[in-house]
Amino acid sequence: MAGRASGKPSKKQGPAKGSGGKVRRSLEGRGATPPAEMRHWYKDKARAERIERESRGGASSSRTPSRTRRDDAPEVIGGRNPVVEALRAGVPASALYVAQRIDSDDRVREAIKIAADRGIALLEVGRDRLDRLTESTVHQGVGLQIPPYEYAHPEQLVELARDAAEVPLIVALDGVTDPRNLGAIARSATAFGAHGLLVPSRRSAGVSAGAWKTSAGTLATLPVARASNLTQTLQTYREEGLFVVGLDGTATVDIADVELASEPLVVVVGSEGKGLSRLVRESCDQIARIPMNAAAESLNAGVAAGIALYEVARHRRR
């Protein structure tokens, strides 16, 4: 059955209007799509993702290469005794971290008081955050953030002694890579009147949190200088009237018999096992040894430095 007509004349459908090339022209000249790192939102998104990763425990993609800590990055000392000793000694610090729900004792209370008196920021953090800040060392719920260390120039160590009208005594480290040894040597150097430490800028321990911790705060008063070339710096010291004595187990002269101990002096301590490098050994005016039983092949660098500096101090008291 046929449909019923509506009675109204039907409108004639005309041709549909096209774009006329308008869309095509609007795309001309825009070029290729820019990469993600060139888009305005990329940095904000990357920062948000990094913060989210850190809040989940600092895990990173397995494809992301690990990065070594820069020399100009701050570090965090962990441990109640090291933190209190560093604060007592006036070690420069920018923040004191205290774990949430920590079992407080006299050391924690003293650390908080000293930090408050010195205007150091006090931050309460979770233990997982403190683990990351102290690189998973034993922190006992407290950590002290120290700024990057400002190294002295090698010439300043000599000037410091001369300004004090004292006979210069400098301790140089050759191949000592353990920061705990550097801290122990700083402690002995301070005890026996040295005017500073000299370390190479490469392949050597620097003033890090580990060094601060072992030094028991003595690095706050003992300057440490960096030499771009240790051999050349030792030669410069010799030209300025200082004598260089290196410690080596193969020497024939005992450190107690070194007559140069009363003169302006640089004592060079080598690494445990390897001793002095060839070029540094050739730069020395004299090589001395620490006599010991044959059962002990070598001494720890920190122990060797302490013994040698004691002998130097004994000579100078005569």
Side-chain angles (χ1 to χ4, degrees):
M1 186 174 184
R4 186 176 178 181
S6 63
K8 295 181 180 181
S10 61
K11 294 182 179 180
K12 185 177 181 181
Q13 297 292 331
K17 294 182 179 180
S19 64
K22 181 179 180 180
V23 175
R24 184 174 64 254
R25 287 193 301 271
S26 66
L27 294 175
E28 290 179 355
R30 294 194 179 185
T33 302
E37 60 268 20
M38 294 180 62
R39 303 179 195 179
H40 66 87
W41 45 261
Y42 178 79
K43 291 184 178 179
D44 293 337
K45 181 181 179 182
R47 180 175 179 272
E49 291 176 348
R50 176 174 54 79
I51 295 175
E52 184 179 357
R53 284 197 306 270
E54 291 179 353
S55 65
R56 291 199 304 262
S60 59
S61 172
S62 59
R63 293 176 294 179
T64 303
S66 59
R67 296 181 180 179
T68 57
R69 192 190 64 83
R70 301 182 311 176
D71 287 343
D72 59 351
E75 285 196 274
V76 177
I77 302 173
R80 300 188 181 191
N81 284 335
V83 166
V84 170
E85 289 173 354
L87 288 170
R88 287 173 182 169
V91 172
S94 53
L96 174 65
Y97 295 95
V98 180
Q100 297 169 347
R101 297 183 296 276
I102 186 177
D103 294 330
S104 181
D105 60 8
D106 291 341
R107 295 168 297 177
V108 175
R109 287 189 287 271
E110 182 180 357
I112 293 175
K113 182 179 184 305
I114 296 176
D117 292 342
R118 290 177 50 187
I120 299 172
L122 179 63
L123 303 174
E124 187 178 21
V125 296
R127 285 190 175 270
D128 56 343
R129 173 82 185 282
L130 199 52
D131 288 339
R132 296 196 299 274
L133 289 170
T134 58
E135 298 180 355
S136 299
T137 59
V138 179
H139 52 71
Q140 298 174 303
V142 291
L144 185 68
Q145 180 173 283
I146 58 175
Y149 184 80
E150 295 183 7
Y151 290 92
H153 189 276
E155 290 290 333
Q156 291 179 276
L157 304 184
V158 181
E159 293 172 0
L160 179 65
R162 290 175 176 168
D163 290 344
E166 298 174 349
V167 180
L169 175 58
I170 299 170
V171 183
L173 278 57
D174 178 26
V176 177
T177 57
D178 190 339
R180 293 171 296 182
N181 275 333
L182 189 151
I185 293 172
R187 199 167 184 173
S188 297
T190 302
F192 297 116
H195 298 98
L197 302 183
L198 176 68
V199 299
S201 57
R202 297 175 58 192
R203 294 186 291 275
S204 175
V207 181
S208 61
W212 277 110
K213 184 174 181 178
T214 313
S215 75
T218 55
L219 282 170
T221 57
L222 183 74
V224 179
R226 259 186 170 172
S228 57
N229 187 304
L230 181 58
T231 304
Q232 291 181 2
T233 303
L234 293 177
Q235 182 60 35
T236 300
Y237 279 157
R238 294 177 69 189
E239 293 172 356
E240 294 184 2
L242 280 72
F243 293 95
V244 180
V245 174
L247 297 180
D248 196 290
T250 62
T252 58
V253 179
D254 291 350
I255 186 64
D257 299 328
V258 175
E259 296 299 330
L260 295 174
S262 300
E263 304 293 333
L265 191 65
V266 180
V267 177
V268 186
V269 182
S271 62
E272 182 179 354
K274 294 182 179 179
L276 300 176
S277 63
R278 180 182 60 83
L279 293 177
V280 169
R281 184 185 180 95
E282 293 174 354
S283 302
C284 295
D285 295 289
Q286 189 172 11
I287 303 296
R289 65 177 184 140
I290 298 174
M292 66 183 81
N293 292 331
E297 295 183 0
S298 62
L299 289 175
N300 174 275
V303 175
I307 295 173
L309 291 172
Y310 166 76
E311 290 295 343
V312 172
R314 187 175 64 86
H315 271 272
R316 295 189 172 194
R317 286 196 300 267
R318 291 178 179 177

